[in-house]
Amino acid sequence: MIDLFSGLDAWVLVSLLLALAFVLAFEFINGFHDTANAVATVIYTKAMPPHLAVFFSGVFNFLGVLLGGVGVAYAIVHLLPVELLINVNTGHGLAMVFSLLAAAITWNLGTWYFGIPASSSHTLIGSILGVGLANALINDIPLADGVNWQKAIDIGASLVFSPMAGFIVAALVLIGLKWWRPLSKMHKTPDQRRKLDDKKHPPFWNRLVLVISAMAVSFVHGSNDGQKGIGLIMLVLIGIVPAQFVLDLSSTTYQIERTRDATLHLSQFYKRNADTLGEFLALGKSVEGDLPEKFRCNPQQTEPTISALLDTLKGVADYHSLPAESRIEVRRYLLCLDDTARKVAKLPGLQAREKADLDKLRKDLTTTTEYAPFWVILAVALALGLGTMVGWKRVVLTIGEKIGKQGMTYAQGMSAQITTACMIGLANIFSLPVSTTHVLSSGVAGTMVANKSGLQGGTVKTILLAWVLTLPATVALSAGLFWLASKALGS
């Protein structure tokens, strides 16, 4: 790993280390900010002692990051428009990364301090959107092109509907448990258990389910939220030291050939569908130049881009053999081809099987650009896991006692945690970032309504206010910081 950074100017190296420290600090804060939610019910119901619950939650968060893949990571990265991702520039990369991280960390610390279960996912996404919009204003790009709005809509939908689903599903699970075992001790609160049964801990089976579901929430939290940190670090590395990280230098000959073959098949795909796509892609028409001067992707330059990519990769068996500038060019070609293919897939006229083929080709095209070195995954896993082990008390109290007018019963805790683990696990399968905070707190609120315990209006309003304000606040904050940083660099 160390040899990757050899030969860098001192200021670039210092900036890189500082940026990496910022990302890991964000993940550490994310750990004690979000993961309190994962252990809230298990601590509040006294199913586990706090120190053990927090320790094992940290371990399962660590494992979740290690085993979670990078699908969510690049879903976050691709919120930025492809034009911004291919504009590799050290100063530009620094301004982008420090602006969005400073905004995200500031908001996370503020909401944690006041014990508000705000979402780190919303925080990060708002910060990225702010950078994209500010970049559009600075460079006179239409705001419609400043952000990958289709990806933003997909992620926004997952962030909106997952808490609603959590509320409904957790309520239904609790209703099912009450119908199945109406007189069970699992419907007691910890205080009732202590007063009526003179017992400190939940009944054995309830305790077991609470512990297992809490660890499941920790694991899926790590695999979802940890990937956000991985995506941020890859933005840092590609923006500051592009020569080493624009492509996966550990790619095998087979993976490089797979990329080359996908490019060939993509060309054949477009020719096969020329009647439908010919005008959109300007097939058979000569277009001067490869990519526009300002690194804008143009679907009408698809054929020249395919040709240039095949020429560059001809005879290449190891990316190390490519000069640094050629690696940057290859990544630009691949990102533009993928972006055009994404637009083509949305055009009317293509058959379903053709769209399925195109989707497979896109995955092959991005095999060597959507990756993360193991040391990046390990560093994020450690930061998130260690962050889990501090700062949990404020949010535990909010989740356990301040959402409903009565304390949480064991059945409510189980219902909320099982629902949360399943919801986030499902989101991981589809590479969608979701908020552990909002899914769990909504699940708890759903069980309170189903249990006829009532909701504390003040707490619910505070959580909803944080939910509503997080996006605009972080968009404005990161946009302002990026504007200031860009002006400073330009002066």
Side-chain angles (χ1 to χ4, degrees), residues 92-344:
H92 197 263
L94 282 171
M96 177 176 66
V97 168
F98 281 120
S99 300
L100 67 90
L101 284 175
I105 288 172
T106 300
W107 187 260
N108 260 1
L109 282 176
T111 52
W112 166 80
Y113 180 79
F114 291 105
I116 301 170
S119 166
S120 292
S121 300
H122 279 68
T123 301
L124 178 57
I125 290 165
S127 300
I128 292 175
L129 292 178
V131 165
L133 293 173
N135 179 72
L137 291 172
I138 291 169
N139 294 291
D140 295 322
I141 298 171
L143 289 180
D145 298 327
V147 171
N148 184 344
W149 290 110
Q150 184 57 54
K151 180 63 71 174
I153 290 169
D154 292 343
I155 292 175
S158 74
L159 289 172
V160 169
F161 289 115
S162 56
M164 295 169 60
F167 182 96
I168 295 168
V169 174
L172 291 175
V173 171
L174 181 66
I175 290 170
L177 290 175
K178 295 187 78 170
W179 173 80
W180 178 49
R181 299 287 297 278
L183 302 178
S184 172
K185 295 177 181 178
M186 65 180 165
H187 299 298
K188 293 180 179 179
T189 66
D191 283 343
Q192 291 170 337
R193 172 80 165 161
R194 185 170 56 253
K195 290 176 182 177
L196 299 176
D197 302 335
D198 197 25
K199 298 270 180 90
K200 182 179 179 181
H201 302 294
F204 175 77
W205 289 109
N206 302 145
R207 188 176 186 182
L208 184 64
V209 173
L210 282 165
V211 170
I212 291 174
S213 59
M215 296 308 105
V217 170
S218 297
F219 181 85
V220 295
H221 173 270
S223 62
N224 195 280
D225 274 39
Q227 288 189 54
K228 296 159 192 169
I230 293 170
L232 283 176
I233 288 185
M234 293 311 296
L235 277 178
V236 168
L237 296 175
I238 291 169
I240 299 177
V241 279
Q244 300 292 349
F245 294 100
V246 286
L247 296 174
D248 183 0
L249 295 182
S250 66
S251 298
T252 63
T253 303
Y254 168 75
Q255 288 173 312
I256 296 173
E257 289 178 350
R258 182 179 168 191
T259 301
R260 190 164 45 232
D261 289 344
T263 308
L264 278 170
H265 289 306
L266 186 66
S267 177
Q268 294 167 1
F269 176 91
Y270 289 148
K271 290 176 182 177
R272 188 168 68 245
N273 292 278
D275 291 343
T276 304
L277 307 175
E279 184 177 349
F280 181 73
L281 300 176
L283 297 177
K285 299 176 182 179
S286 175
V287 179
E288 292 185 6
D290 175 32
L291 293 173
E293 292 182 4
K294 291 188 177 181
F295 305 112
R296 299 290 300 278
C297 292
N298 184 351
Q300 294 191 335
Q301 292 177 313
T302 295
E303 284 188 315
T305 303
I306 289 175
S307 178
L309 178 58
L310 291 174
D311 286 344
T312 307
L313 292 181
K314 188 175 181 179
V316 174
D318 187 340
Y319 280 143
H320 286 93
S321 65
L322 283 175
E325 188 58 38
S326 294
R327 295 175 200 164
I328 293 173
E329 291 298 310
V330 167
R331 179 174 180 270
R332 286 172 56 200
Y333 300 151
L334 289 170
L335 288 185
C336 280
L337 289 176
D338 178 61
D339 184 63
T340 297
R342 175 181 59 82
K343 293 174 181 175
V344 166

Side-chain angles (χ1 to χ4, degrees), residues 2 59 67 87 135 147 162-163 247 284 334 359 362 382 413 416 432 452:
I2 296 176
V59 170
L67 303 175
N87 187 4
N135 179 72
V147 171
S162 56
L247 296 174
L334 289 170
D359 186 55
R362 288 185 62 199
L382 285 171
L432 290 171
K452 299 180 181 178

